[in-house]
Each structure stands twice: as structure tokens, then as C-alpha cells.
Amino acid sequence: ARVAVLISGTGTNMAALLYASRAPDCPFQLVLVASNNPAAPGLALAAAEGIATFALPHKGMSRADHDAAMDAAIRASGAEYVALAGYMRVLGTDFVQRWDGRMLNIHPSLLPKYPGLDTHVRALGAGDTHGGCSVHIVTAELDSGPLLDQTPVAILPGDTAETLAARVLIAEHQLYPRALAAYVGRERAPDYLIGRVRELAL
Ligand code: GRF
């Protein structure tokens, strides 16, 4: 399956997806890396690795116009799925509906806990034993779509938001490629995910 990855920053999750796609049996390939931030380091990496890129600053554009321009670039790339990977824009309902059931996101918490920002400091503040990350289907409500998979990450004594984030990021880099591969190849997905997909009637 052809996937467009949307980033806003470093793009380590995009890189994890890119290198996972090099496996001979990987069911997805990256066809585009797009960003609202022309300076996103992930764009330079994607270009150097031979992946098409698209960058369009959102400054001075309405949300609807920026979303529409991003959508046009994604469709022009031939992408069948969209993977949000640290894309820091809230997408409008038109865009979400256009990609209904075909757009995934990775979020650095054990959803449904801690949707939104500052997830690690909230987990630490709550005295949780674990933080973690989640891959979900994107719906109009932020960070609330059907969960595909997640990884709990133990919180250690003395953890700060930064040390926890760094550990969760390692888990993200394993979770996203696995969850995306299972989802785009859901006809051949492992049973546990088939059940999920059936449950979600996707
Ligand atoms: C990750 O922590 C991801 O969970 C969150 O933003 C960060 C993106 O990092 N959505 P990167 O750009 O993939 O390195």
C-alpha cells in the first residue's frame, strides 16, 4: 500500500516507517513526506532517501485552504493511506472525512488517557506506573479514534518528561511500523488485529 507521512518536526517516526518499509515483505511503501514546516529536518532525510516531499507553511492560510492544499499533494502522490507522525496541525473535518478509515496517528500516551499535549508530564504528575504510546485511526475528535495498538512503557524513579519521552519514542519507532503494516495488510493481519478491525467494522 502507498502511504503519505505527515510531519512537523524531526521526523524520527517517519524515519522508522521509512526503514521498516525496506523489509522485503513490508506491505507499505512511503510515496510522500509532507509538512507544514519547510524547515522540518525529516523533509531533508526523506529527500535524501529518495522519497518525494511537499512543504507548505500554514501561516497566513485558512485551515481549510491549508488542509485542501495538503490533501491535493497527498492525492497527487497516489497515496492510499495517510500516517500522521508528529504532525502538529489539527486537521479539519473535511480532510478527516476524506481519509476516513485510511488515516492513522501515533500519540505518546496510553489512550484514552491524556489526549492532547504534554502527555508525559501528566502521566508523571498522576503517579502512573507506565506511560506509553498508541496508534489509532484518526477521527474528527482529537486523539480519540479507534485504537489499533499500543505499548506501555514503565516509568522509572526520577523520570522527567524528557527521559520518559525518550523511552516512549523508542517504543513508538517499533509500534508504528508494526501497526501500520498490520492495518494496511489487514487481510493478512495477525488474529488479534483482525479481531480489532472486525470489532471496529473497518
Ligand atoms: C512523537 O513523540 C509523537 O508521538 C508525537 O510527536 C513526536 C514526533 O516525533 N506525535 P518525531 O517527529 O516523529 O521525531
Side-chain angles (χ1 to χ4, degrees):
R2 298 185 297 275
V3 176
V5 181
L6 270 52
I7 65 171
S8 294
T10 317
T12 64
N13 273 286
M14 177 278 296
L17 294 174
L18 172 57
Y19 297 122
S21 75
R22 296 280 162 76
D25 62 345
C26 183
F28 65 80
Q29 293 304 314
L30 272 52
V31 293
L32 180 72
V33 173
S35 182
N36 61 307
N37 170 16
L43 288 169
L45 174 62
E49 292 285 2
I51 309 286
T53 61
F54 175 79
L56 180 66
H58 58 273
K59 198 167 159 46
M61 291 185 76
S62 72
R63 181 177 306 284
D65 288 350
H66 187 261
D67 282 358
M70 295 290 282
D71 183 38
I74 293 165
R75 278 183 289 150
S77 75
E80 300 161 281
Y81 290 89
V82 176
L84 305 180
Y87 188 63
M88 300 311 279
R89 298 281 296 158
V90 174
L91 291 163
T93 47
D94 288 356
F95 189 104
V96 172
Q97 274 157 14
R98 167 81 185 67
W99 292 95
D100 185 33
R102 307 177 76 78
M103 179 156 58
L104 277 59
N105 181 45
I106 187 153
H107 180 76
S109 81
L110 291 177
L111 291 172
K113 292 176 83 168
Y114 316 129
L117 300 174
D118 303 322
T119 60
H120 305 304
V121 74
R122 291 154 70 190
L124 290 168
D128 293 354
T129 60
H130 289 74
C133 48
S134 306
V135 174
H136 64 94
I137 306 284
V138 175
T139 56
E141 197 185 338
L142 189 69
D143 300 332
S144 310
L147 265 182
L148 285 180
D149 207 350
Q150 52 188 191
T151 303
V153 172
I155 289 175
L156 302 178
D159 255 338
T160 63
E162 290 70 28
T163 58
L164 179 55
R167 202 175 310 125
V168 169
L169 204 53
I170 295 169
E172 291 178 37
H173 296 164
Q174 324 236 346
L175 181 71
Y176 213 171
R178 191 171 71 230
L180 181 61
Y183 188 64
V184 303
R186 57 191 172 281
E187 292 72 34
R188 303 187 309 280
D191 288 351
Y192 86 95
L193 199 115
I194 292 249
R196 278 305 277 142
V197 171
R198 199 166 288 138
E199 231 172 85
L200 305 170
L202 291 175

